[in-house]
Amino acid sequence: MTDILSLLAERLPPSALREVEPRYLEEPRGRWMGQGAALVLPATTAEVAETIKACAETGTPVIPYGGGTGLVGGQLSESGPAPVILSLERMRAVREMDAQAGTMTVEAGAILADIHAAAEAEGWIFPLTLASQGSARIGGLLATNAGGVNVIRYGNARDLCLGIEAVLPDGTVMNTLSPLRKNNTGYDLRHLLIGAEGTLGVITAATLRLFPKPEATGAALMVVPHAEAALGLLRMAQARIGEGVSAFEIISRTGLDFLNEVGPEVKQPFDTPPDWMCLVDLGLSGGARPEEALEELFAEAFEAGLVTDGVIAQSEAQRQEFWALRENIPLANRRIGAVASHDISVPVARIPDFIAEAPGKLAEIGEYRTNCFGHLGDGNLHYNVFPMPGRTRADHETERGAIKRAVHDLVHAMGGSVSAEHGIGRFKVDDLERYGDPGKLAAMRAIKAALDPRGIMNPGAVLKS
Amino acid sequence: MTDILSLLAERLPPSALREVEPRYLEEPRGRWMGQGAALVLPATTAEVAETIKACAETGTPVIPYGGGTGLVGGQLSESGPAPVILSLERMRAVREMDAQAGTMTVEAGAILADIHAAAEAEGWIFPLTLASQGSARIGGLLATNAGGVNVIRYGNARDLCLGIEAVLPDGTVMNTLSPLRKNNTGYDLRHLLIGAEGTLGVITAATLRLFPKPEATGAALMVVPHAEAALGLLRMAQARIGEGVSAFEIISRTGLDFLNEVGPEVKQPFDTPPDWMCLVDLGLSGGARPEEALEELFAEAFEAGLVTDGVIAQSEAQRQEFWALRENIPLANRRIGAVASHDISVPVARIPDFIAEAPGKLAEIGEYRTNCFGHLGDGNLHYNVFPMPGRTRADHETERGAIKRAVHDLVHAMGGSVSAEHGIGRFKVDDLERYGDPGKLAAMRAIKAALDPRGIMNPGAVLKS
């Protein structure tokens, strides 16, 4: 590794090369610890290219590093040769903003919340929205094709990106930055790098699609008697309000209990936490009034037996309270400490079946509490399994594998995905091998070998290295 | 080639193997003539796989064939060894329809108009809409990432596809068919094959996204004084009506003159053909009235000097008349016979500049009439160059190269694309080499070599073989 360090020192300005700090080696749940030979903080695409070239010449692994918020270990390497950690954090400029057409080109290190602010300053929104938006960076969000709460309306990260600039594994810069909506000139390598989790190159910049800001927003929490009713409410909301439904989340009683048990302290809207409730978020234009639309939806759903109680936000502050409830559930989860977490999707119509059948599969293994919540509108649930009160994660170490297998087998049997929005990273490589289409896996390996013959780009992520 | 024919005869049922009929060797404008060693008409994905395997074993080129409507020669091979023509026309079943979720899985040979009908029978729409929808097949539409008139609202073909089944160049079947909206399990090979024009494999089936049918539709023809005003009208329409704008087409006087000159006979809405007019098409729900929305748009635009005259369809029949006018322009163009045709896009804001500057570039070469029309809302223009009255296409044979170069150089200088929606095929391979990003081209070649080492899949299309 001395070779690579001296090469980097020779080719990069001193500001771009640092000792690895511990925070680059930790992951959000604190479960694994990575390793790093050097930390590179390039200021330009050319410096990224120099870094990758040096790594390619010496066969040194590189881990592209965004905000470090990934939940599947894509940003840290536990074993094998210590990698160069390539953090894009200094590259966060807005290179271009077209406020007429609604596009912006940003560098990969831009933090999502800053992109939100830059878009809103010009009267637009960039609709990718997720809990970690204060630290997640757009390069990582694209590399993992992040999802979040607004996919139902605006799509995943890949759907919000018109073009990318990237450094390929041999150090070549590929520039497909473009605001064009129609451009059929060759293979769409943008979509190949998006979601490849840094294994085929490093995204250094992206042209993003902005959307008109809805004139009025609104939200409601609606109590549903069971998951089937939640699905009925979703269909009814979409039939009545169409693309105005910006988010449709489901929250289970376990999540509300956890918040009561360990915090963070948030205002609970109902005296008794209901078994299931939905957070329905609207963004409307053209003079339409979200409160009215939600009232009418509630009335019709109540009539149909789909909802039993509800509260409609009377102010933006109250809407934010509803969202705080939703967004704090993952924090409460971490305080409790899950035995196993699952980021899964099934065809939307199968969600009630999944929720009905999964507990039986778990009961064959042991006794647990499950917190099931997430993006019902996209068929994406976070299905997290916790110890019973008085017990801890550590008590169940030996059961984790069986739990994951049981949940993932059920998801797979229902035509679902064992990684809906978090990606494969390192934690799910075996799952991909087990559940992935063999034809697709073979083609993935061939592409990886062709673009990265020395296997330097984030080795061990997505595919076995 | 005897080898491949006997192999195919051995492995396929007799119904799947035929002599090549001339229609498989012709292209819509009648400019080129292809060649074919055999015509294979598989009935199943397994038969497609057998065909590709036989071709891989013998190094025989294969041309996947859809509806034969492509305009860039992707479906015919003029030179080199005669290929097997693999037509998907017998595989046109709807495999699955989820009328609750709004997805359908269809085989690649399904004709677009049949897909429209199948979706509408279940209360949905499949919004991909283009002039050749009566013969274009979904496999080809995806392989070329077709565009059409509704991209402004619903996106390109790739945006309407959730997953594909494909046979890869070694005969492996890759199955990523899925109705899931969130699925981050490995590289997105769906998007790699979509738009690869059959050079990386054959798409055999696809899961498509359906959309709610707008409750009410409406259309207007609005006369604008110049292209800048058309752009202003587009912005105004989008600000007022948002995603309700389903299409926004621009039509030039030349197109209307051509219709008068050579037909097809269509009802012209204005006594004197205006220099420029826009076709604004709306699809609204929630009780909104398109006629009213168009009247208000017209009034505001008239006030602002953006439109000078207009007619709003008073019935669906009249709306269809407006569309017939637009859709018959390409037919009139063919009757006149273009010297050169260009399917280009530029950043939407640059369209007036392009329209202002292109005639000067052409005047340096010769005297022509240009018919500029197309999908203004997406920045996609068809910029076709014709002989003056009394002259013919043949009189300008030697100028074609210079014309194409002049138009494409201008487009490229404006950050545009020399193939917006038609693809590269064989006619634009040199353009891709000239204007494509070198880093992207190198990666494309590496991927092509990795997946198709013998170069059998549609050789000569997209990349030089």
Side-chain angles (χ1 to χ4, degrees), chain A residues 98 100-101 144-149 151-156 158-159 168 172-176 178-192 194-197 199-200 209 212 215 231 235 238-240 242-244 286 345-349 375 377-380 415-424 432 437-448 450-451 461-463, chain B residues 98 100-101 144-149 151-156 158-159 168 172-176 178-192 194-197 199-200 209 212 215 231 235 238-240 242-244 286 345-349 375 377-380 415-424 432 437-448 450-451 461-463:
Chain A
D98 184 341
Q100 264 236 313
T144 58
N145 186 32
V149 299
V151 172
I152 186 174
R153 179 169 191 166
Y154 298 102
N156 295 286
R158 72 167 69 255
D159 303 306
L168 300 177
T172 305
V173 177
M174 175 179 85
N175 185 343
T176 69
S178 161
L180 302 176
R181 290 290 303 275
K182 278 186 171 179
N183 182 11
N184 276 341
T185 47
Y187 306 162
D188 196 326
L189 301 189
R190 158 191 57 157
H191 280 307
L192 185 63
I194 293 176
E197 305 184 31
T199 64
L200 298 178
R209 279 182 72 183
E215 286 166 15
L231 203 61
R235 301 271 180 244
Q238 289 187 306
R240 291 184 68 96
E243 39 215 358
S345 66
V346 292
V348 180
H375 319 299
D378 317 313
N380 175 198
S417 168
V418 300
S419 178
E421 60 175 2
H422 293 169
I424 298 299
L432 181 58
D437 178 71
K440 176 176 168 176
L441 280 164
M444 284 173 60
R445 288 191 197 99
I447 291 167
K448 171 73 174 174
L451 294 183
V462 186
L463 292 168
Chain B
D98 185 340
Q100 266 235 312
T144 58
N145 185 32
V149 299
V151 171
I152 186 175
R153 178 170 191 166
Y154 298 101
N156 296 285
R158 72 167 70 254
D159 303 305
L168 300 177
T172 305
V173 177
M174 174 179 85
N175 184 343
T176 70
S178 161
L180 302 175
R181 290 291 302 277
K182 278 186 170 178
N183 182 12
N184 276 342
T185 47
Y187 305 162
D188 197 326
L189 301 189
R190 158 191 57 158
H191 280 306
L192 185 63
I194 294 176
E197 305 185 31
T199 63
L200 299 178
R209 279 182 71 181
E215 287 166 17
L231 203 61
R235 301 270 181 244
Q238 289 187 306
R240 291 185 68 95
E243 39 215 355
S345 65
V346 292
V348 180
H375 319 299
D378 317 313
N380 175 198
S417 167
V418 299
S419 179
E421 59 175 3
H422 293 168
I424 299 299
L432 181 59
D437 177 72
K440 176 177 168 176
L441 280 164
M444 284 173 60
R445 287 190 198 101
I447 291 168
K448 171 71 174 173
L451 294 183
V462 186
L463 292 167

Side-chain angles (χ1 to χ4, degrees), chain A residues 215-348:
Chain A
E215 286 166 15
T217 51
L221 290 169
M222 298 194 191
V223 176
V224 293
H226 41 68
E228 185 78 44
L231 203 61
L233 180 64
L234 169 67
R235 301 271 180 244
M236 188 179 280
Q238 289 187 306
R240 291 184 68 96
I241 307 162
E243 39 215 358
V245 180
S246 299
F248 195 104
E249 299 283 305
I250 190 165
I251 297 169
S252 75
R253 179 181 178 133
T254 313
L256 302 175
D257 287 345
F258 282 6
L259 286 167
N260 282 334
E261 210 174 310
V262 296
E265 204 175 316
V266 287
K267 199 164 170 184
Q268 295 245 4
F270 304 105
D271 292 339
T272 311
D275 283 349
W276 295 103
M277 66 180 188
C278 297
L279 171 50
V280 188
D281 196 81
L282 305 187
L284 304 179
S285 293
R289 299 195 44 220
E291 292 84 352
E292 266 174 33
L294 289 164
E295 273 162 30
E296 289 167 18
L297 172 65
F298 180 80
E300 189 187 344
F302 190 83
E303 189 88 1
L306 295 175
V307 300
T308 58
D309 198 355
V311 47
I312 294 169
Q314 298 303 310
S315 63
E316 178 58 22
Q318 198 178 5
R319 175 169 169 258
Q320 292 304 332
E321 279 174 21
F322 293 176
W323 275 108
L325 190 75
R326 164 64 184 84
E327 296 295 8
N328 277 310
I329 288 174
L331 267 81
N333 285 345
R334 282 184 210 171
R335 290 183 186 176
I336 302 274
V339 180
S341 306
H342 310 91
D343 162 46
I344 59 100
S345 66
V346 292
V348 180

Side-chain angles (χ1 to χ4, degrees), chain B residues 145-401:
Chain B
N145 185 32
V149 299
N150 289 338
V151 171
I152 186 175
R153 178 170 191 166
Y154 298 101
N156 296 285
R158 72 167 70 254
D159 303 305
L160 306 173
C161 176
L162 294 166
I164 60 168
E165 176 191 84
V167 177
L168 300 177
D170 63 355
T172 305
V173 177
M174 174 179 85
N175 184 343
T176 70
L177 294 172
S178 161
L180 302 175
R181 290 291 302 277
K182 278 186 170 178
N183 182 12
N184 276 342
T185 47
Y187 305 162
D188 197 326
L189 301 189
R190 158 191 57 158
H191 280 306
L192 185 63
L193 266 77
I194 294 176
E197 305 185 31
T199 63
L200 299 178
V202 189
I203 295 172
T204 49
T207 305
L208 305 177
R209 279 182 71 181
L210 308 179
F211 290 77
K213 184 176 175 145
E215 287 166 17
T217 51
L221 290 170
M222 299 193 190
V223 175
V224 292
H226 41 68
E228 185 77 42
L231 203 61
L233 180 63
L234 168 67
R235 301 270 181 244
M236 189 180 281
Q238 289 187 306
R240 291 185 68 95
I241 307 162
E243 39 215 355
V245 180
S246 299
F248 195 104
E249 299 283 305
I250 191 165
I251 296 169
S252 75
R253 179 180 179 133
T254 312
L256 304 175
D257 287 345
F258 282 7
L259 285 167
N260 282 334
E261 209 173 312
V262 295
E265 204 176 315
V266 289
K267 199 163 166 185
Q268 295 245 3
F270 303 105
D271 292 339
T272 311
D275 283 349
W276 295 103
M277 66 180 189
C278 296
L279 171 50
V280 188
D281 195 81
L282 305 187
L284 304 178
S285 292
R289 300 195 45 222
E291 293 84 353
E292 266 174 33
L294 289 165
E295 274 162 29
E296 288 167 19
L297 172 65
F298 181 81
E300 188 186 344
F302 190 83
E303 189 89 0
L306 296 175
V307 299
T308 58
D309 199 355
V311 46
I312 295 169
Q314 298 302 310
S315 64
E316 178 59 22
Q318 198 179 4
R319 175 169 169 258
Q320 293 303 331
E321 278 175 23
F322 293 176
W323 275 107
L325 190 76
R326 163 64 183 84
E327 296 295 6
N328 277 309
I329 289 174
L331 269 81
N333 285 345
R334 283 183 209 171
R335 291 182 184 176
I336 301 274
V339 180
S341 306
H342 310 91
D343 162 43
I344 59 102
S345 65
V346 292
V348 180
R350 303 302 304 275
I351 282 184
D353 296 339
F354 175 81
I355 288 176
E357 292 176 33
K361 305 285 181 188
L362 292 177
E364 291 171 17
I365 304 166
E367 204 187 351
Y368 313 100
R369 295 188 287 178
T370 56
N371 187 6
C372 172
F373 65 103
H375 319 299
L376 185 73
D378 317 313
N380 175 198
L381 296 177
H382 299 299
Y383 196 80
N384 296 356
V385 179
F386 295 87
M388 296 298 283
R391 309 203 66 188
T392 69
R393 170 182 162 81
D395 299 332
H396 299 281
E397 281 301 319
T398 57
E399 295 150 28
R400 184 166 307 123

